[in-house]
Amino acid sequence: MKILQDKVALVTGGARGIGRAICQELADAGASIAVADIMRESAEQTAKEFRENGVAARAYAANVAIMSEADEMIKAVLQDFGRIDILVNNAGITRDNLIMRMKEDEWDSVIAVNLKGTFNCLKAATRPMMKARQGRIVNIASIVGVMGNPGQANYSASKAGVIGLTKSAAKELASRQINVNAVAPGYIQTEMTDKLSEEARQAFLAHIPLGRPGQAEDVARVVRFLAGPESDYITGQTINIDGGMVM
Ligand code: NAI
């Protein structure tokens, strides 16, 4: 039997990038997959491709930054699958700028999606998980939430917030056997980081002891570990997946 057989996993921002790789990894471990994304068509396309490979997968269009949309998404998943065992809060955006130039909207939108969006989904998924007296929540933070990064005050604050939220939620929910952990990826090759300048790319690479950027699968494997029974005794932790950038 596969380790996530009969489990239902909801992955936000699951249409592409790291989220999609997480969907794949959890599906390979036997889970049914709810692919949630603000990009409806991409989510539907991703879910369709999973179904074509024999995975029970469905798409959900939702903007995680809006609490009512997060609530509706959780309700729809419960209606379709009857349960939610694993929530992966992966949806995230960047709007980089130096503090002196950062516009109010650049600050607000990043906090809204990355931090409030994580809270919204976590809160909505907690109700059915508490009833079931079991659950796994994995939040995708970032190494810059630990070490900071010039030009990313909004993003690093949002991700540091996710790490704090992870710890508080872990303490609140532990008595119901709901484990809440985070991962902090370093420099991972995706469409998000394809936007980086060559200079920024080289600056990151110079600080990675393992000497290569990470792949989405490097993150997905750790999420699978945190979503499954091998990590039963781990909660409130943030695991860096960064090729050794931060030690
Ligand atoms: P990506 O931009 O390729 O994918 C993000 C996905 O989230 C997209 O499908 C997008 O449509 C979706 N999304 C954005 N806003 C949303 C919203 N309001 N509601 C629902 N879905 C929304 O990004 P990538 O690189 O795959 O990043 C995934 C996560 O990993 C993000 O939280 C990001 O901050 C984090 N991360 C990425 C790193 C990297 O180097 N790529 C490093 C550290 C963390």
Side-chain angles (χ1 to χ4, degrees), residues 140-186:
I140 312 301
S142 166
I143 208 68
V144 308
V146 179
M147 66 177 196
N149 198 25
Q152 292 199 307
N154 49 359
Y155 184 77
S156 57
S158 75
K159 295 299 190 178
V162 165
I163 292 171
L165 170 62
T166 300
K167 294 178 188 180
S168 293
K171 288 187 176 178
E172 277 193 34
L173 302 175
S175 64
R176 306 295 181 106
Q177 308 304 318
I178 301 168
N179 298 27
V180 189
N181 290 290
V183 297

Side-chain angles (χ1 to χ4, degrees), residues 13 16 18 37-38 62-64 90 141 155 159 185-186 188 190 193:
R16 72 174 198 197
I18 294 173
D37 208 285
I38 197 168
N63 178 355
V64 297
N90 164 80
Y155 184 77
K159 295 299 190 178
I188 310 294
T190 67
T193 48

Side-chain angles (χ1 to χ4, degrees), residues 31 50-51 59 63 68 93 96 118 128 134 144 172 180 208 223 242:
F50 279 116
R51 283 197 299 276
N63 178 355
S68 58
I93 59 168
D96 297 353
T118 299
Q134 57 116 17
V144 308
E172 277 193 34
V180 189
I208 302 175
V223 173
D242 63 354

Side-chain angles (χ1 to χ4, degrees), residues 13-26 88 90 140 183 185-193 212-224 241:
R16 72 174 198 197
I18 294 173
R20 191 198 162 106
I22 292 169
C23 289
Q24 182 71 61
E25 189 72 33
L26 299 180
V88 182
N90 164 80
I140 312 301
V183 297
Y187 171 26
I188 310 294
Q189 249 171 352
T190 67
E191 283 176 61
M192 183 184 264
T193 48
R212 67 168 177 89
Q215 301 300 319
E217 292 70 26
D218 291 314
V219 179
R221 282 192 291 272
V222 181
V223 173
R224 193 243 299 131
I241 309 168

Side-chain angles (χ1 to χ4, degrees), residues 14 20-21 23-25 27 33 35 45-57:
R20 191 198 162 106
C23 289
Q24 182 71 61
E25 189 72 33
I33 305 294
V35 182
Q45 181 60 30
T46 298
K48 181 166 161 267
E49 287 166 21
F50 279 116
R51 283 197 299 276
E52 284 165 1
N53 289 310
V55 177

